[in-house]
């Protein structure tokens, strides 16, 4: 999900994100869904991303300023028509080294009670306490020792069942 005010700043982050995933995400058959929440320069973004992602494996949406939740749900509805799992990331998140997603997908396929597998970075003396309230009710309580941290809340592999229940 993305939105650019028309100055290209947010889309420049998106292009870096897409390029980092093309370069470093290892998975045999990716289908991309990019949902834009009504950016005035939407077609420029479509043209540029189409040059980064090879083939016809990308779908673009322009949801016309209905909000980030609508834009995300729109892309997820489409994604779950073709797969029970989706890899979700923010438009300003970079993958800086090769990352094989297949092992994580296999864990989720072998364990249908796992609804989400989060990937990200906890830094700045941040710790996380795991709290388990049962199926699909697991939380991480973040505790910052220094008040500074860097965390991507959406970079994750998620199942359709997770969304259905939550």
């Amino acid at each position: 999900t993305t939105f650019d005010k028309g100055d290209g700043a947010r889309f420049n982050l998106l292009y870096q994100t897409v390029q980092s995933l093309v370069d470093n995400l290892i998975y045999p058959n990716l289908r991309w869904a990019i949902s834009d929440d009504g950016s005035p320069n939407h077609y420029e973004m479509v043209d540029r991303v189409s040059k980064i992602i090879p083939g016809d494996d990308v779908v673009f949406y322009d949801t016309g300023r209905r909000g980030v939740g609508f834009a995300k749900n729109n892309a997820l509805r489409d994604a779950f028509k073709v797969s029970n799992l989706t890899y979700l990331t923010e438009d300003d998140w970079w993958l800086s080294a090769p990352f094989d997603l297949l092992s994580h997908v296999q864990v989720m396929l072998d364990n249908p009670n796992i609804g989400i597998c989060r990937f990200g970075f906890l830094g700045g003396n941040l710790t996380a306490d795991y709290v388990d309230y049962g199926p699909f009710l697991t939380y991480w309580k973040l505790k910052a020792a220094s008040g500074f941290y860097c965390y991507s809340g959406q970079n994750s592999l998620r199942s359709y069942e997770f969304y259905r229940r939550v």
Side-chain angles (χ1 to χ4, degrees):
T1 303
T2 191
F3 173 75
D4 188 86
K5 295 177 185 174
D7 61 3
R10 194 69 189 188
F11 281 166
N12 284 331
L13 296 173
L14 172 69
Y15 304 142
Q16 292 174 35
T17 298
V18 169
Q19 188 65 60
S20 79
L21 292 169
V22 166
D23 292 344
N24 292 304
L25 188 62
I26 302 166
Y27 196 76
N29 56 346
L30 290 175
R31 181 173 182 269
W32 298 70
I34 298 176
S35 191
D36 177 16
D37 189 29
S39 302
N41 49 344
H42 172 80
Y43 292 105
E44 288 176 39
M45 179 270 295
V46 169
D47 183 56
R48 187 159 171 196
V49 169
S50 295
K51 292 175 183 169
I52 299 171
I53 299 173
D56 296 326
D57 296 328
V58 62
V59 176
F60 296 95
Y61 300 98
D62 183 350
T63 59
R65 299 297 297 141
R66 293 186 182 170
V68 66
F70 183 89
K72 183 190 302 183
N73 288 334
N74 191 57
L76 287 170
R77 271 190 298 277
D78 179 70
F80 287 129
K81 288 178 184 175
V82 296
S83 177
N84 286 325
L85 296 176
T86 183
Y87 179 82
L88 182 66
T89 192
E90 297 173 352
D91 62 355
D92 61 354
W93 190 89
W94 299 279
L95 189 57
S96 59
F99 178 65
D100 190 348
L101 191 60
L102 190 56
S103 62
H104 302 282
V105 167
Q106 194 61 54
V107 166
M108 291 185 73
L109 292 175
D110 292 344
N111 300 279
N113 59 329
I114 298 175
I116 184 171
C117 184
R118 286 198 163 191
F119 312 106
F121 171 71
L122 298 176
N125 296 319
L126 185 71
T127 60
D129 289 337
Y130 172 80
V131 182
D132 187 358
Y133 296 101
F136 296 106
L137 294 174
T138 302
Y139 300 94
W140 288 94
K141 181 179 175 186
L142 301 178
K143 302 186 306 183
S146 66
F148 166 80
Y149 66 93
C150 203
Y151 178 71
S152 177
Q154 292 186 357
N155 186 33
S156 58
L157 184 63
R158 300 177 186 203
S159 72
Y160 171 75
E161 185 66 13
F162 172 82
Y163 282 101
R164 191 187 69 74
R165 290 190 185 197
V166 175

